[in-house]
Amino acid sequence: MRTRNQIIFHSLAAKHGTLALDLDVTRKLGFDGLEGSGTKIRQFLDAGFSETELRSTIGDVFIPGIGFLLDVERHGDDRQGLRKDAEELLKLAAAAGAKGLEAITGPISLAAYTPDAAAKPGLYRGVVGLPLEEQIDITAAGLATVADMAAEHGLLIYYEALSWTPLNTIDKQLRTLERAGRPNIKLVIDFWHCYTAGETPERVSRLDKNIIYGVHICDSLPFVGGIPDEGILRDVPTGQGVLNLKEWVDAVKSTGFDGWWSCELFCRRQHQENSYEVAAGLMTLMEDLIHA
């Protein structure tokens, strides 16, 4: 396994497969590791396998992290639910021998951003509609809470602000991390979320390499503004969308970053195709982008 610029298989590239399939693809195609799915790990254990059997099944496969902890900005009466979900996922990450847990912002549902959303009872809205400084304070507090829990397991948190949620820009994310003030929180750079949040490769190139934990190489259909719909815009094979992937990769590499790169995938057609063939294509693409 390479120790620099590792090419990592992402569990979403075989969305409907099992943990065993993800591991087999990773090994047989020569990926440097697997970015795992908390859901697939939970399903493995729920099927009756023990944690010892889980570790044996994973063996020496490098797992930089698993996803995802949703709605890290949960506060007030929702903070208890955040703690509960975090503890469950952190235990799964530790049981799998992973190094970290991905935490993402919400709300996931685009219904939370409609003009009449505030009047809809029971609709989770997180920090939508609050002043910016309050949004940052609340989200930072949630991150700090989760990071402290992760530290007890010897894990880190890698943070991703979804592009349709309030703290979507790199500057806002950096301010949130600074306010959280925990050494075990880093960023994952996702090209699609950067693009649809209005970021550019030039902005990425100005990041401190030490704040970047990993990179999601992904693509997009054209985005003309408004609230980005992930289900529509990411339904494209990586390398066949509008992003200049080489430009984005080179921007990250210009920071001096030489960590892991993962092939997150949301293309519905490819999710129904042969996972080994899809993964092989992604590996070839990533090798050309990163190591050529």
Side-chain angles (χ1 to χ4, degrees), residues 127-139 166-167 175 179:
V127 297
V128 174
L130 298 177
L132 176 59
E133 293 304 314
E134 192 171 350
Q135 291 176 337
I136 293 174
D137 282 341
I138 289 171
T139 304
L167 303 179
R175 289 180 62 192
R179 206 162 296 182

Side-chain angles (χ1 to χ4, degrees), residues 54-254:
L54 172 66
R55 290 302 294 271
S56 177
T57 298
I58 292 171
D60 61 356
V61 172
F62 171 56
I63 302 181
I66 70 169
F68 328 94
L69 175 64
L70 302 175
D71 303 329
V72 72
E73 74 289 336
R74 278 178 276 178
H75 60 288
D77 292 340
D78 293 323
R79 182 58 57 84
Q80 184 176 356
L82 174 64
R83 288 178 176 272
K84 179 177 180 296
D85 291 348
E87 185 59 31
E88 178 186 355
L89 283 165
L90 288 166
K91 286 180 178 177
L92 291 175
K99 306 300 181 185
L101 171 65
E102 182 178 8
I104 61 180
T105 56
I108 299 293
S109 173
L110 299 185
Y113 306 93
T114 59
D116 62 342
K120 296 180 180 178
L123 178 63
Y124 176 75
R125 301 188 72 232
V127 297
V128 174
L130 298 177
L132 176 59
E133 293 304 314
E134 192 171 350
Q135 291 176 337
I136 293 174
D137 282 341
I138 289 171
T139 304
L143 269 176
T145 296
V146 172
D148 288 343
M149 296 170 67
E152 294 177 4
H153 294 273
L155 300 172
L156 62 76
I157 297 297
Y158 55 109
Y159 174 55
E160 181 175 70
L162 306 185
S163 66
W164 62 90
T165 63
L167 303 179
N168 58 352
T169 66
I170 288 175
D171 287 345
K172 290 175 183 177
Q173 291 174 60
L174 292 176
R175 289 180 62 192
T176 303
L177 263 62
E178 181 179 5
R179 206 162 296 182
R182 298 297 188 273
N184 63 329
I185 309 176
K186 292 193 174 188
L187 289 180
V188 61
I189 301 301
D190 181 294
F191 295 165
W192 183 84
H193 286 293
C194 286
Y195 165 65
T196 51
E199 301 290 5
T200 64
E202 189 280 328
R203 177 63 187 92
V204 170
S205 72
R206 290 187 278 115
L207 281 168
D208 179 347
K209 67 177 182 179
N210 295 311
I211 201 66
I212 306 172
Y213 183 56
V215 181
H216 287 163
I217 294 180
C218 42
D219 216 328
S220 182
L221 294 172
F223 175 58
V224 296
I227 298 175
D229 190 328
E230 183 174 48
I232 295 174
L233 294 173
R234 300 188 80 168
D235 189 11
V236 59
T238 306
Q240 297 182 28
V242 298
L243 297 189
N244 184 332
L245 296 178
K246 183 62 174 173
E247 186 177 8
W248 285 92
V249 167
D250 287 349
V252 175
K253 292 181 72 174
S254 73

